[in-house]
Amino acid sequence: MGRRIAKAGLAASAALLLAACGGGTDPTTVGSSGSGGAGGGKGEAGGGDVKTASLAQPNTVTLSFCHKIEYGGGGWDYALTVESLSLKDGSIVATRSTVLPNGVEPARGCPTSESGGPQHQVALAFNKDYTLVAGMKGMSRAGAWDVATGKEVGAPDPDAFSKRPKNRGVAFHPVTGRLWYDMGEHDFQSSDDVASRDPKAGLTSEERVAYEKLGDLMKQDGPTATTVLATDDGDYVAAPDGGIVAGGDSMWLSRVKAEGRVGAGDFLEPIETAGLDAPELDCTPVFWRDATTLVCDEFQQITFSADYKKVVKTEELIPANDRSNSDPVLAPDGKSFAFLSEGENGKTGLFRADFVPGGEPVKIADVEEPADAPHHLTYLLRWN
């Protein structure tokens, strides 16, 4: 599960990293070397300096590293590094680092001021090419910030006299690239609208979806349902057609219905799934391979019946182990997956494996954290 992968590093200045995922339609129409991070040098795919090369190059995986920079008075800033590694040898092909402005907190993937919070679906905090990270300014206004400069894009006019609804959560749609956010602050009990916009165009491109239309919106397709639910800070994964949602630390399934409240979960009608309460299925869903096949953070593949009323089969995708493993990410062709894994020696490696039950993962390279702080939250975002 996107666990903290902590390692010793050199204390210096600040850095960080993040990204996105894929699939779906535009909902607004409805209503180096094999040693990973220590490398540098030239980008493998397409050439050029790693600080200017594309972070979304084919045949790479992208990671994010984040840590707090604390200062006097109990405050802190967030340092973020986003890095893409070659799936051939783990060399760094692109990297960006920045310190976000004071008072800006990334949507996911960074240490927060409160315990808990979303620990999965971190890719939803980034746009498709990893150039922007979604976050909250002052814990009340959604926005997007450049991962190379730390500057906000599409920022509101600082001299305007206006009053906007406060936001609770924010996420990037993995297909359309639009920035989605809720339009209320009533802590899961209100019937607030949800809005989206082109992040670079700012509020002039904002389109709202009324509360009454949210059920229809989430039934449209999986990426849209996942994004809308992410604005409520939930760790939910919708099936490709958007009609079925999996969630929870102990997995459950629900069917999307037309009426209800997203925050209170009333748009989701629980499905009684025989076999899903088995002790060995105490895991958090990470992605759907298809309409009835779900993969969870404990590297189990679960196959459901067509009506989702029973578990047909469960399979262990990697051997039993005592390592600390990150959430797996799916290959574009759907045949393989990649993940980070830390062993007893404290070293983190990038691994890949095929969807063969009990198969042995293959190590691609060791992964080094940025040397700007001793501990980071580290996440594998996407297989490009």
Side-chain angles (χ1 to χ4, degrees):
M1 2 182 352
R3 297 184 179 93
R4 178 188 300 264
I5 301 177
K7 283 191 269 187
L10 301 176
S13 58
L16 50 117
L17 135 83
L18 293 130
C21 40
T25 57
D26 190 338
T28 60
T29 61
V30 173
S32 314
S33 63
S35 62
K42 302 296 181 182
E44 178 185 89
D49 189 280
V50 297
K51 293 183 179 180
T52 58
S54 168
L55 284 159
Q57 298 175 48
N59 301 314
T60 65
V61 289
T62 303
L63 301 85
S64 66
F65 305 90
C66 188
H67 72 271
K68 288 181 179 178
I69 304 172
E70 298 194 28
Y71 53 84
W76 55 79
D77 295 327
Y78 289 95
L80 179 67
T81 295
V82 185
E83 212 163 73
S84 292
L85 308 181
S86 166
L87 278 164
K88 178 182 178 181
D89 60 7
S91 60
I92 299 175
V93 300
T95 186
R96 303 287 189 280
S97 293
T98 192
V99 178
L100 295 174
N102 182 253
V104 173
E105 183 174 306
R108 295 171 182 237
C110 287
T112 63
S113 54
E114 302 175 359
S115 59
Q119 298 298 315
H120 305 272
Q121 310 304 319
V122 175
L124 293 174
F126 298 88
N127 65 344
K128 292 187 290 184
D129 61 6
Y130 311 108
T131 58
L132 302 177
V133 58
M136 301 292 289
K137 182 175 177 59
M139 302 299 290
S140 63
R141 181 174 67 76
W145 283 263
D146 190 300
V147 300
T149 66
K151 294 181 179 180
E152 185 174 5
V153 299
D157 181 356
D159 296 322
F161 287 82
S162 61
K163 186 173 178 60
R164 290 271 302 166
K166 292 185 177 180
N167 309 125
R168 261 198 329 267
V170 59
F172 274 107
H173 192 291
V175 179
T176 68
R178 289 179 70 87
L179 188 70
W180 279 83
Y181 41 92
D182 76 333
M183 301 298 288
E185 54 173 334
H186 300 96
D187 198 19
F188 312 131
Q189 297 301 321
S190 64
S191 54
D192 297 309
D193 297 347
V194 171
S196 73
R197 69 175 188 253
D198 176 343
K200 294 183 179 179
L203 294 176
T204 59
S205 64
E206 183 175 270
E207 299 181 31
R208 297 193 185 192
V209 178
Y211 156 76
E212 293 80 6
K213 300 291 185 181
L214 291 181
D216 291 336
L217 178 65
M218 290 193 293
K219 292 168 70 174
Q220 184 171 290
D221 62 70
T224 297
T226 299
T227 304
V228 171
L229 288 166
T231 68
D232 194 41
D233 282 345
D235 280 326
Y236 307 100
V237 185
D241 67 0
I244 300 296
V245 172
D249 293 330
S250 297
M251 194 185 305
W252 46 258
L253 294 184
S254 289
R255 196 177 306 277
V256 176
K257 59 182 183 178
E259 297 180 355
R261 296 178 180 174
V262 171
D266 291 342
F267 274 112
L268 303 178
E269 183 176 23
I271 300 174
E272 295 293 331
T273 306
L276 196 55
D277 57 352
E280 64 270 19
L281 296 185
D282 185 16
C283 56
T284 300
V286 177
F287 59 80
W288 292 83
R289 291 189 66 196
D290 53 44
T292 58
T293 309
L294 185 65
V295 174
C296 73
D297 65 340
E298 296 297 333
F299 293 83
Q300 291 175 317
Q301 180 170 270
I302 306 168
T303 303
F304 299 99
S305 59
D307 60 4
Y308 302 98
K309 292 188 176 180
K310 68 177 180 178
V311 173
V312 175
K313 179 171 56 176
T314 62
E315 299 165 289
E316 301 291 337
L317 295 175
I318 62 175
N321 63 89
D322 294 322
R323 302 174 66 90
S324 178
N325 305 306
S326 72
D327 287 355
V329 299
L330 184 64
D333 65 5
K335 297 179 180 179
S336 306
F337 60 92
F339 63 100
L340 302 176
S341 182
E342 180 184 8
E344 288 190 3
N345 61 0
K347 289 186 177 296
T348 297
L350 171 63
F351 289 79
R352 65 178 294 171
D354 295 326
F355 284 99
V356 178
E360 188 73 25
V362 175
K363 184 176 181 179
I364 298 172
D366 289 326
V367 174
E368 299 294 336
E369 291 186 0
D372 60 333
H375 305 294
H376 296 77
L377 280 185
T378 303
Y379 290 91
L380 188 59
L381 302 173
R382 188 175 67 193
W383 182 321
N384 302 307

